[in-house]
C-alpha cells in the first residue's frame, strides 16, 4: 500500500495511543490513528474512475460514520487518492473543485454537467455511474456495500 514515508501524518495530525508524549512512536516517526489508517486503506482500493461516499467507506469498515471518515480524510488523506472519497450528493469538495475535476477527467470518472444557473458551473459526479460498491478489489473480501 502506501510507503512508510506517505504514512506519516500531516502537520495537523495527532499521534495515536501508541505514541509517547512527543507524538512519536519511539522511532521518531509519528503514527496515524488506527481508524485513519483503515480509512486511507479503503481510499486506496477505489479504482480510478470510481468513487465511494464517506458513508460508504464507514459502512465498508463497519465503524464510524461519514463525519469520522471525512475528518480522517481531511487530516490524513493527502497521500491517497482523496478525490475518490466524496459527498453522497456528488458535489465536488469545496475549495478543491478544480483539482478534483482534473483527476476525474484524467480518470474518466462519470460527471454530470452543471446547470447554467449553478454557481461557477462546476459539474457534479454522476453518482449512479461513478459509485463503486467495493467489488473486484483483487482481494478475497468481495463486495461490502
Amino acid at each position: 500500500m502506501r510507503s512508510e514515508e506517505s504514512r506519516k501524518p500531516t502537520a495537523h495530525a495527532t499521534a495515536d495511543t501508541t505514541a509517547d508524549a512527543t507524538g512519536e512512536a519511539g522511532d521518531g516517526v509519528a503514527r496515524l490513528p488506527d481508524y485513519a489508517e483503515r480509512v486511507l486503506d479503503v481510499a486506496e482500493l477505489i479504482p480510478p474512475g470510481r468513487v465511494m461516499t464517506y458513508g460508504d467507506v464507514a459502512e465498508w469498515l463497519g465503524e464510524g460514520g461519514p463525519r469520522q471518515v471525512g475528518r480522517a480524510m481531511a487530516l490524513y488523506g493527502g497521500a491517497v487518492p482523496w478525490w475518490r472519497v466524496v459527498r453522497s450528493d456528488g458535489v465536488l469538495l469545496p475549495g478543491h473543485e478544480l483539482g478534483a475535476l482534473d483527476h476525474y477527467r484524467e480518470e474518466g470518472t462519470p460527471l454530470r454537467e452543471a446547470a447554467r444557473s449553478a454557481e461557477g458551473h462546476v459539474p457534479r459526479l454522476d453518482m449512479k455511474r461513478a459509485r463503486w460498491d467495493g467489488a473486484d478489489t483483487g482481494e478475497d473480501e468481495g463486495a461490502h456495500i
Side-chain angles (χ1 to χ4, degrees), residues 10-141:
T10 64
H12 302 289
T14 57
D16 67 10
T17 56
T18 63
D20 64 17
T22 66
E24 297 178 352
D27 60 2
V29 177
R31 300 286 178 213
L32 293 176
D34 289 342
Y35 185 75
E37 182 75 26
R38 289 191 299 277
V39 167
L40 300 183
D41 287 345
V42 173
E44 289 184 318
L45 292 174
I46 304 168
R50 303 301 296 274
V51 299
M52 288 179 90
T53 68
Y54 298 110
D56 291 342
V57 173
E59 186 176 339
W60 172 288
L61 293 172
E63 66 177 302
R67 289 177 186 246
Q68 289 80 13
V69 171
R71 182 75 173 153
M73 290 298 296
L75 292 177
Y76 308 106
V80 300
W82 53 267
W83 58 93
R84 296 182 192 151
V85 181
V86 301
R87 292 172 41 157
S88 62
D89 62 4
V91 172
L92 307 189
L93 184 63
H96 299 278
E97 299 94 341
L98 297 180
L101 196 54
D102 287 343
H103 288 293
Y104 297 139
R105 287 182 172 147
E106 181 180 316
E107 294 180 357
T109 307
L111 298 169
R112 292 178 40 203
E113 289 305 315
R116 290 181 183 228
S117 61
E119 186 177 331
H121 305 288
V122 177
R124 289 183 175 206
L125 291 160
D126 184 339
M127 294 302 291
K128 287 182 181 178
R129 294 177 34 222
R131 199 169 192 173
W132 185 60
D133 66 1
D136 302 323
T137 64
E139 297 181 7
D140 295 335
E141 297 180 33

